[in-house]
Amino acid sequence: MLEKEQLYVQMSDDELIQLIKNGNEELFDIIFQRYYVLAIKTIKDFYLKSYELEDLLQEARMVFLKVIHTYDSEKGHTFGNFYKLNLKHHIFSLVRKDMAKKRRLEKNAESLEGLLEKKEHMQHYILHGKEQLPTVELLQVREKLVDYQETLSGFEQRVFLNYIHHMEVEEIADKLECDLIQVKNALDRCKRKMKHLFD
């Protein structure tokens, strides 16, 4: 077995690619190791707040497998350049999604700030209910709003935003077409996360 593995290690990229295309995908790691440094360097050229390095490496591996199955040496690209180009395009796509998410969260934060300007203290509001409270300094919580929303899942964000716009849990459940218990559980998680952020 070791002799066979050594044989694979000594094969060219083109030979390994062909074997993988033919269904021998256990050879993937052998060829990926040759491009690991390239993947890391390409990844580190970008900053994505929503992704850890391990997440981006997983993305790089998925792109690598796709490239193996689409690579055609007769089209003039070396395999390495073809992979780098595809990986950059993929990361650009992730960056665009990340920026769109950030804009969405910032827009939501502006909406929350509007509520704060109406004298509703966000921390007390989400933790204890909807009673009117004395005015607090907006800057005390303003910078934490985007960070808070990033801790919420998509469903939790929808529940949270409806809740702070004075909807009852029954109304939220109807609007989101889900069970009442799902809304209550999501709201409980929102409260715990809010408490954790402000403690």
Side-chain angles (χ1 to χ4, degrees), residues 72-84:
D72 185 349
S73 60
E74 294 182 0
K75 291 188 175 180
H77 281 291
T78 65
F79 179 76
N81 284 338
F82 187 59
Y83 172 54
K84 185 175 182 180

Side-chain angles (χ1 to χ4, degrees), residues 82-96:
F82 187 59
Y83 172 54
K84 185 175 182 180
L85 182 66
N86 277 267
L87 181 56
K88 280 189 172 183
H89 285 168
H90 184 70
I91 296 178
F92 280 140
S93 176
L94 295 179
V95 169
R96 284 195 296 270

Side-chain angles (χ1 to χ4, degrees), residues 13-18 21 31 35 63-83 86:
D13 289 352
D14 287 342
E15 290 172 319
L16 287 172
I17 288 168
Q18 194 56 54
K21 283 183 175 181
I31 188 169
Y35 293 91
V63 172
F64 194 81
L65 184 58
K66 179 182 176 182
V67 165
I68 284 175
H69 288 286
T70 57
Y71 175 64
D72 185 349
S73 60
E74 294 182 0
K75 291 188 175 180
H77 281 291
T78 65
F79 179 76
N81 284 338
F82 187 59
Y83 172 54
N86 277 267

Side-chain angles (χ1 to χ4, degrees), residues 15-119:
E15 290 172 319
L16 287 172
I17 288 168
Q18 194 56 54
L19 287 171
I20 293 172
K21 283 183 175 181
N22 291 339
N24 199 351
E25 291 194 352
E26 63 266 24
L27 302 178
F28 175 87
D29 285 327
I30 292 175
I31 188 169
F32 183 72
Q33 281 304 313
R34 298 177 185 180
Y35 293 91
Y36 179 82
V37 173
L38 172 63
I40 291 291
K41 285 182 178 178
T42 304
I43 287 169
K44 287 189 174 180
D45 284 341
F46 299 89
Y47 171 71
L48 288 96
K49 186 174 182 179
S50 302
Y51 289 81
E52 300 290 339
L53 178 59
E54 194 58 40
D55 297 325
L56 290 173
L57 269 175
Q58 187 61 35
E59 295 287 334
R61 288 173 65 86
M62 289 189 295
V63 172
F64 194 81
L65 184 58
K66 179 182 176 182
V67 165
I68 284 175
H69 288 286
T70 57
Y71 175 64
D72 185 349
S73 60
E74 294 182 0
K75 291 188 175 180
H77 281 291
T78 65
F79 179 76
N81 284 338
F82 187 59
Y83 172 54
K84 185 175 182 180
L85 182 66
N86 277 267
L87 181 56
K88 280 189 172 183
H89 285 168
H90 184 70
I91 296 178
F92 280 140
S93 176
L94 295 179
V95 169
R96 284 195 296 270
K97 290 178 183 176
D98 208 45
M99 291 175 68
K101 178 183 176 184
K102 182 181 178 185
R103 285 193 297 271
R104 186 171 66 251
L105 291 174
E106 286 174 346
K107 183 177 179 181
N108 289 343
E110 289 174 5
S111 174
L112 296 177
E113 287 176 16
L115 290 173
L116 287 173
E117 288 171 351
K118 294 176 184 177
K119 301 183 181 181

